[in-house]
């Protein structure tokens, strides 16, 4: 509870007031398969710690309660959004919520009567996040009201963490064909001193795209916080993993699925869902960053599913921004952007894929006499020289078209995230596209699609032209990022991810440290 007066109002900001509820979406009873907020059973002692205490003060002579009674009430709409418990001799009894809309308080000669309140639902399209409990003091004889009071709670939102936050644990799938990739990734994660969770084949069913299946975030109240995984409706091989293996004590679970599963598309996978670091935009502060969602914008009606968009908007504290991603075959925003930490005023840099930067680099190397340098050396795939790449009219046309699409996103992010050109770094990339300049795919492993673990960057190895014993693409990226204090490790994902239309970021996922900022201090 923030503040003690006017318990029927809730206000944002550092001087705000009002009580806060956590959605009790972890699983404290090991024998259950559902989160606690969906379980019909009674809570245990661990469950109670997830709930907000509510104290009813009922001072006065005992004789008063012979003629009067105190009643707690909730509305039918709030009955599925909160539950209230009271401790009895051997267990906690459910006194409000679900089918119970009122409760006559048993005073038991106590001046202070404790209750415990749990949230059942996160804010959503038709739920602002506010729930109310009414207290009525009335006569037994005729039911006339003597006194009434109302208390309001706000259900804590689900909050995303950007990849500039400290990593706590990395996830990757063992799909039996990626042994060498797993070895390189393990070595890299060890450098970053971060635990690595290998998801077994029996758990992933051959689905390697763990970034697409789930998004790690958290929820927080003044008395407690815990991580919460948002489960995508994509429902491929990893569909059971978030609820069967991630959900547990003090680790929550939430999902949003449309009624018609046939409406789920690639835009509903979470490589298409990112969040910026904290930003200030035209004087407005976004201390928890802004959610970024890939979209068709006004060019087509291809969008992330409405149930997901509604959920993300309803959390309020990370106002979403829409980017243009449907020019890509997979249509995920992590194919053209990433954030890395930096010791500048903003604390980060935005990395954008840049075909223009790649072609300029190759032209420079050609002028220096390296036109015969070969790309994809050592791989079982077609080789290309710098001269061949620069003379390929289709590749040039695709690159120009893709650069226009990236420039549109650059413009959007500069406006919506308050960025300047100094905050952006162009990473050399090439894409191929179809005859309509759509369905673009990365020509070589896309270095923007990286795993960020603090100052350590796990970057897809591009297999660029070797000049003087060094990959010129790797050399260029090192020159851009290492002066920022970042450490680049290039990981071979060519056969195991790139040729399956994804890269290192697509094949990994990370639990990150929550923000130190309290979301309720935000100005909405």
């Amino acid at each position: 509870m923030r503040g003690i007066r006017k318990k029927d109002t809730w206000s944002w900001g550092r001087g705000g007031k009002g009580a806060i509820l956590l959605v009790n979406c972890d699983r404290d009873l090991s024998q259950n398969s559902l989160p606690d907020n969906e379980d019909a059973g009674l809570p245990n002692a661990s469950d109670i710690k997830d709930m907000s205490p509510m104290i009813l003060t009922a001072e006065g002579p005992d004789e008063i309660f012979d003629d009067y009674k105190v009643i707690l009430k909730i509305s039918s709409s709030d009955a599925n959004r909160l539950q209230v418990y009271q401790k009895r001799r051997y267990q906690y009894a459910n006194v409000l919520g679900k089918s119970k809309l009122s409760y006559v308080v048993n005073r038991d000669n106590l001046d202070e009567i404790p209750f415990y309140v749990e949230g059942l639902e996160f804010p959503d399209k038709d739920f602002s996040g506010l729930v109310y409990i009414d207290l009525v003091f009335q006569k037994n004889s005729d039911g006339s009201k003597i006194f009434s009071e109302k208390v309001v709670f706000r259900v804590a939102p689900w909050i995303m963490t950007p990849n500039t936050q400290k990593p706590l644990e990395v996830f990757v799938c063992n799909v039996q064909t990626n042994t060498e990739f797993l070895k390189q990734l393990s070595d890299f994660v060890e450098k970053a001193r971060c635990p690595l969770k290998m998801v077994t084949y029996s758990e992933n069913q051959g689905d390697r795209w763990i970034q697409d299946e789930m998004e790690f975030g958290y929820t927080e109240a003044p008395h407690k916080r815990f991580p919460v995984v948002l489960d995508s409706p994509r429902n491929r091989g990893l569909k059971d993993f978030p609820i069967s293996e991630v959900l547990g004590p003090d680790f929550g679970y939430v999902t949003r699925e449309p009624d018609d599963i046939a409406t789920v598309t690639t835009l509903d996978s979470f490589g298409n869902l990112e969040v910026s670091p904290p930003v200030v935009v035209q004087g407005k502060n976004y201390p928890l960053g802004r959610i970024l969602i890939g979209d068709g914008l006004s060019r087509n009606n291809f969008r992330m599913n409405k149930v997901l968009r509604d959920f993300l908007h309803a959390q309020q504290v990370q106002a979403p921004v829409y980017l243009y991603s449907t020019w890509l075959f997979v249509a995920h925003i992590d194919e053209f952007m990433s954030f890395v930490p930096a010791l500048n005023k903003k604390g980060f840099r935005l990395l954008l894929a840049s075909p223009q930067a790649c072609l300029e680099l190759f032209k420079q190397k050609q002028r220096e006499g390296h036109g015969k340098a070969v790309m994809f050396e050592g791989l079982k795939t077609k080789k290309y020289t710098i001269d061949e790449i620069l003379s390929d009219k289709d590749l040039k046309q695709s690159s120009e078209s893709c650069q226009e699409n990236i420039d549109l996103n650059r413009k959007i992010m500069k406006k919506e995230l308050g960025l300047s050109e100094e905050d952006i770094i162009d990473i050399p990339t090439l894409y191929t596209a179809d005859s309509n300049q759509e369905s673009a795919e990365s020509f070589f492993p896309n270095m923007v699609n990286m795993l960020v673990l603090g100052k350590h960057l796990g970057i897809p190895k591009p297999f660029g032209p070797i000049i003087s014993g060094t990959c010129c693409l790797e050399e260029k990226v090192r020159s851009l990022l290492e002066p920022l204090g970042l450490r680049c490790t290039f990981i071979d994902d060519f056969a195991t991810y790139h040729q399956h239309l994804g890269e290192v970021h697509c094949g990994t996922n990370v639990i990150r440290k929550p923000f130190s900022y309290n979301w309720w201090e935000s100005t909405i």
Side-chain angles (χ1 to χ4, degrees):
M1 174 76 77
R2 304 173 305 143
I4 56 175
R5 297 182 179 178
K6 293 186 177 181
K7 294 185 283 290
D8 60 340
T9 60
W10 206 99
S11 58
W12 295 87
R14 288 179 180 258
K17 59 182 178 297
I20 296 170
L21 288 184
L22 289 176
V23 177
N24 189 19
C25 60
D26 67 342
R27 183 172 60 200
D28 288 310
L29 296 175
S30 59
Q31 64 267 33
N32 291 341
S33 59
L34 296 173
D36 294 335
N37 60 317
E38 298 179 24
D39 178 28
L42 294 176
N44 59 16
S46 296
D47 247 348
I48 291 296
K49 292 178 181 178
D50 297 336
M51 302 182 193
S52 295
M54 180 179 72
I55 306 297
L56 171 59
T57 301
E59 296 177 347
D62 294 342
E63 293 77 16
I64 290 180
F65 292 90
D66 293 335
D67 300 315
Y68 298 88
K69 58 186 173 184
V70 176
I71 304 174
L72 296 178
K73 296 182 178 182
I74 58 174
S75 67
S76 57
S77 60
D78 283 347
N80 291 319
R81 296 167 177 165
L82 66 83
Q83 289 195 110
V84 180
Y85 295 90
Q86 186 177 29
K87 189 172 185 180
R88 298 288 165 79
R89 188 171 182 182
Y90 297 112
Q91 63 183 12
Y92 294 91
N94 175 214
V95 297
L96 282 177
K98 298 296 177 68
S99 62
K100 299 175 182 178
L101 302 183
S102 65
Y103 171 65
V104 178
V105 177
N106 183 355
R107 187 187 179 207
D108 290 330
N109 298 318
L110 296 173
D111 289 338
E112 292 189 344
I113 306 168
F115 295 91
Y116 303 90
V117 191
E118 72 171 337
L120 299 179
E121 292 184 0
F122 282 98
D124 215 323
K125 178 189 175 185
D126 299 319
F127 176 34
S128 69
L130 295 177
V131 291
Y132 299 86
I133 299 176
D134 290 301
L135 178 148
V136 177
F137 184 54
Q138 67 183 45
K139 282 186 177 181
N140 288 334
S141 57
D142 59 7
S144 58
K145 185 190 300 183
I146 307 300
F147 170 81
S148 67
E149 189 175 48
K150 186 189 296 286
V151 63
V152 60
F153 292 84
R154 179 173 291 281
V155 177
W158 178 78
I159 302 171
M160 290 180 64
T161 51
N163 60 13
T164 50
Q165 288 295 107
K166 180 181 178 179
L168 301 178
E169 186 173 16
V170 179
F171 288 69
V172 67
C173 291
N174 182 341
V175 291
Q176 300 181 348
T177 58
N178 64 345
T179 303
E180 181 56 32
F181 173 83
L182 294 179
K183 183 179 182 302
Q184 292 183 42
L185 183 74
S186 297
D187 292 343
F188 165 69
V189 172
E190 187 175 351
K191 286 182 190 177
R193 298 182 179 180
C194 191
L196 178 63
K197 162 67 176 175
M198 294 272 195
V199 181
T200 65
Y201 188 86
S202 63
E203 293 169 329
N204 64 56
Q205 299 298 304
D207 182 0
R208 72 193 69 205
W209 308 115
I210 196 164
Q211 181 66 222
D212 288 340
E213 181 58 39
M214 58 190 184
E215 188 72 41
F216 289 116
Y218 69 97
T219 192
E220 179 178 25
H223 71 284
K224 188 170 184 178
R225 74 180 175 201
F226 54 77
V228 179
V229 61
L230 175 63
D231 189 2
S232 164
R234 70 190 279 271
N235 290 345
R236 290 168 61 177
L238 280 160
K239 66 184 179 68
D240 295 327
F241 181 76
I243 197 163
S244 65
E245 302 300 327
V246 178
L247 171 65
D250 286 342
F251 208 122
Y253 172 92
V254 63
T255 189
R256 287 293 181 272
E257 292 196 2
D259 293 333
D260 182 3
I261 202 69
T263 64
V264 175
T265 71
T266 182
L267 292 183
D268 303 317
S269 295
F270 291 159
N272 194 44
L273 176 64
E274 299 295 329
V275 66
S276 79
V279 292
V280 178
V281 185
Q282 296 181 345
K284 181 170 176 55
N285 190 20
Y286 296 90
L288 302 173
R290 300 190 70 177
I291 288 172
L292 304 170
I293 301 170
D295 195 82
L297 299 185
S298 59
R299 303 187 179 199
N300 55 52
N301 293 320
F302 199 20
R303 309 202 71 187
M304 176 180 281
N305 216 289
K306 190 173 184 300
V307 293
L308 280 171
R309 288 186 282 118
D310 287 344
F311 173 80
L312 294 168
H313 278 273
Q315 308 315 304
Q316 297 191 67
V317 294
Q318 295 178 304
V321 174
Y322 290 91
L323 302 177
Y324 180 44
S325 67
T326 56
W327 56 278
L328 290 153
F329 181 80
V330 178
H332 292 176
I333 59 174
D334 68 352
E335 296 179 78
F336 63 81
M337 59 154 292
S338 185
F339 296 99
V340 295
L343 297 176
N344 59 355
K345 186 176 180 180
K346 286 188 170 66
F348 69 90
R349 295 285 180 89
L350 167 65
L351 307 185
L352 282 180
S354 177
Q356 181 180 339
C358 187
L359 293 177
E360 288 176 355
L361 175 64
F362 285 176
K363 287 175 184 177
Q364 176 191 338
K365 297 305 178 184
Q366 186 183 56
R367 290 193 297 270
E368 293 172 356
H370 302 296
K372 301 302 180 185
V374 176
M375 171 160 259
F376 303 140
E377 194 72 59
L379 295 175
K380 295 179 180 179
T381 190
K382 184 178 179 181
K383 312 297 188 292
Y384 297 85
T385 64
I386 290 177
D387 288 341
E388 289 171 333
I389 290 171
L390 293 177
S391 63
D392 188 324
K393 293 181 180 179
D394 290 338
L395 185 59
K396 183 175 183 292
Q397 188 175 4
S398 295
S399 297
E400 290 173 352
S401 174
C402 292
Q403 186 66 59
E404 289 177 4
N405 295 325
I406 293 168
D407 287 344
L408 171 60
N409 288 307
R410 186 190 205 97
K411 183 177 180 181
I412 292 171
M413 284 189 278
K414 285 176 73 173
K415 177 183 177 183
E416 299 295 342
L417 301 181
L419 305 182
S420 66
E421 281 299 317
E422 293 178 350
D423 302 315
I424 302 172
I425 297 175
D426 293 308
I427 301 298
T429 310
L430 286 181
Y431 299 95
T432 59
D434 61 19
S435 58
N436 296 318
Q437 300 307 312
E438 296 177 345
S439 299
E441 302 173 15
S442 295
F443 177 61
F444 57 81
N446 187 339
M447 293 181 286
V448 166
N449 194 281
M450 64 177 67
L451 174 60
V452 181
L453 301 179
K455 294 181 179 181
H456 295 269
L457 309 180
I459 305 173
K461 185 174 179 63
F463 291 95
I466 303 297
I467 298 172
S468 301
T470 303
C471 169
C472 66
L473 290 169
E474 290 187 23
E475 183 179 53
K476 179 64 175 179
V477 168
R478 287 186 189 278
S479 72
L480 293 170
L481 299 181
E482 291 187 345
L484 302 178
L486 301 169
R487 300 171 186 174
C488 301
T489 299
F490 292 90
I491 300 172
D492 179 3
D493 74 348
F494 193 88
T496 49
Y497 292 87
H498 173 70
Q499 290 189 319
H500 294 272
L501 305 181
E503 310 288 357
V504 173
H505 183 261
C506 306
T508 56
N509 214 319
V510 186
I511 302 173
R512 298 186 182 273
K513 185 178 180 179
F515 289 103
S516 58
Y517 184 89
N518 297 321
W519 62 265
W520 51 87
E521 295 180 354
S522 301
T523 302
I524 301 300

